[in-house]
Amino acid sequence: MPDSGWIAVDAMGGDDGLAVMLAGVALARHQFEGMRFLLVGDEAAIREGLKAHPNLSQHSEIVHAPEVVGSSEKPTQAIRRAKKTSMGIAIDLVKQGRAAAAVSSGNTGALMAMAKLSLRMLPGIDRPALAARLPTLGDTDMVMLDLGANTECDARNLVQFAIMGAAYARTALDIPHPRVALLNIGSEDMKGTDEIRDAAAQLRATPAVDMQFNGFIEGDRLSRGEVDVVVCDGFSGNIALKTAEGTARFVADLLKRAFRSSVRSKLGFLISRPATELLRDHLDPNNHNGAVFLGLNGIVVKSHGGATDRGVATAIGNAAKMVRNDLIRRIADDLGSVEKAA
């Protein structure tokens, strides 16, 4: 296993480019001790950018990449240029064992395609799944997968997602026995598609894995903190994620409009400011940033393209925690246990 301190960072990805990525890496270095970075991208630009973060140079190395994957570039085009792009080289560093994980804020489709082609799937996994942490009313975040890697899934895929999601919850959220549920249109056993009902039957009979299967969960219960892992196909998951993000922005904008509507409202804002600040912090996506492609033979984390330096640092810290807690081995062990018991 590679040194867990090295994280490969696609320094050229993201909406705001190099400056935000380097600021995020610098922040992560302060927050998570012992981390070291392989900064992948235009060498001259990175050296210039490091002048604003002099202490980061002692904990990083630059790996030159002459090209960058465009935000709207098709995955098939990006794959052909993988060996020259900052994204492709960052993933290859994981394959070589020089880095324990790769983090990129670039094109999601290209990142998925490159990672799958380069790192391959873990034995026993048919498809990768994009998993992310979402805020809830509970004591911890919730893990949700798949969020867009697979638009259609059969029962076998959903069962594999559940096993991987539970391992991720134990690793990233420190939940020893995660509560797992399938996203469905109702909580009754007869509800949902054949694939969802078949997956539920298999999960109820799945032994030897540290998780608790809680059946089905509806969309309006996702944020309640009643489960730790929610499993679905990528089509449903992506819609649920975007709806949750839109609702959070709607609530925030509605509060802003209400507090600005009158002098009395402005006074009310001053009184309730501690509570509104807490709400804003809880819903801030930068505090939950860093989706991971589960099922690959290596750790690749997707940071949101519009993440701030704090969001980038969160994604990097998430990657480091998965490495240090040996997520890949945990998934492989769980899959092996299920196969032996079958």
Side-chain angles (χ1 to χ4, degrees):
M1 182 177 175
D3 187 334
S4 62
W6 287 102
I7 305 292
V9 178
D10 173 11
M12 314 306 290
D15 297 348
D16 297 313
L18 181 62
V20 169
M21 294 303 296
L22 290 181
V25 174
L27 185 58
R29 187 192 69 80
H30 286 291
Q31 294 178 342
F32 307 99
E33 293 183 3
M35 293 178 62
R36 293 174 289 174
F37 308 96
L38 296 170
L39 305 175
V40 188
D42 184 279
E43 183 174 4
I46 292 175
R47 289 196 184 280
E48 182 65 25
L50 284 175
K51 292 179 180 179
H53 310 283
N55 293 331
L56 183 57
S57 299
Q58 305 172 24
H59 302 271
S60 62
E61 295 181 9
I62 300 174
V63 179
H64 180 64
E67 299 180 13
V68 178
V69 175
S71 59
S72 59
E73 188 170 347
K74 294 181 178 179
T76 52
Q77 296 174 329
I79 286 175
R80 288 195 289 267
R81 300 191 300 115
K83 294 182 179 180
K84 296 182 179 181
T85 63
S86 55
M87 181 186 290
I89 293 174
I91 294 170
D92 191 58
L93 289 170
V94 177
K95 180 180 180 180
Q96 295 175 27
R98 291 181 60 189
V103 178
S104 175
S105 296
N107 183 317
T108 304
L111 186 66
M112 175 77 261
M114 286 185 185
K116 185 177 179 180
L117 183 64
S118 179
L119 300 177
R120 304 297 181 182
M121 305 301 302
L122 283 170
I125 296 294
D126 298 328
R127 298 180 181 182
L130 183 61
R133 296 164 50 175
L134 304 179
T136 72
L137 292 175
D139 295 330
T140 64
D141 288 346
M142 170 191 74
V143 175
M144 189 168 182
L145 72 165
D146 176 28
L147 296 179
N150 309 277
T151 56
E152 295 182 359
C153 298
D154 59 21
R156 176 181 169 87
N157 299 143
L158 295 174
V159 170
Q160 291 173 0
F161 294 172
I163 294 171
M164 294 192 295
Y168 179 48
R170 295 197 304 273
T171 301
L173 301 179
D174 300 317
I175 301 173
H177 202 64
R179 300 163 296 173
V180 179
L182 292 166
L183 182 63
N184 202 352
I185 58 173
S187 59
E188 299 86 353
D189 289 345
M190 73 287 298
K191 291 290 183 70
T193 63
D194 291 340
E195 290 79 11
I196 293 176
R197 294 197 304 272
D198 289 347
Q202 293 180 41
L203 286 169
R204 290 190 184 98
T206 297
V209 176
D210 288 330
M211 70 178 184
Q212 172 187 327
F213 180 59
N214 282 17
F216 301 138
I217 187 170
E218 296 181 73
D220 63 339
R221 308 298 299 179
L222 292 178
S223 62
R224 306 303 298 177
E226 298 170 348
V227 298
D228 306 303
V229 179
V230 174
V231 178
C232 55
D233 63 79
F235 185 85
S236 303
N238 192 270
I239 291 175
L241 174 65
K242 297 297 173 58
T243 301
E245 291 176 342
T247 301
R249 287 193 294 269
F250 169 74
V251 171
D253 291 344
L254 198 62
L255 285 173
K256 289 179 183 178
R257 183 184 300 177
F259 283 132
R260 293 171 180 170
S261 61
S262 67
V263 174
R264 179 179 295 181
S265 296
K266 292 177 181 178
L267 180 60
F269 169 72
L270 293 176
I271 297 173
S272 62
R273 188 167 185 174
T276 56
E277 290 292 332
L278 181 63
L279 174 65
R280 185 177 67 176
D281 185 68
H282 190 63
L283 295 178
D284 188 348
N286 288 293
N287 294 329
H288 315 276
N289 188 40
V292 58
F293 293 113
L294 295 178
L296 300 176
N297 191 26
I299 295 174
V300 177
V301 172
K302 171 64 174 71
S303 172
H304 195 286
T308 65
D309 56 348
R310 186 159 50 88
V312 172
T314 300
I316 292 172
N318 195 26
K321 191 168 186 179
M322 285 185 276
V323 171
R324 291 171 179 172
N325 290 332
D326 211 356
L327 173 64
I328 303 300
R329 181 191 60 78
R330 291 193 181 199
I331 291 175
D333 288 349
D334 284 354
L335 289 169
S337 298
V338 171
E339 290 177 358
K340 287 180 182 179

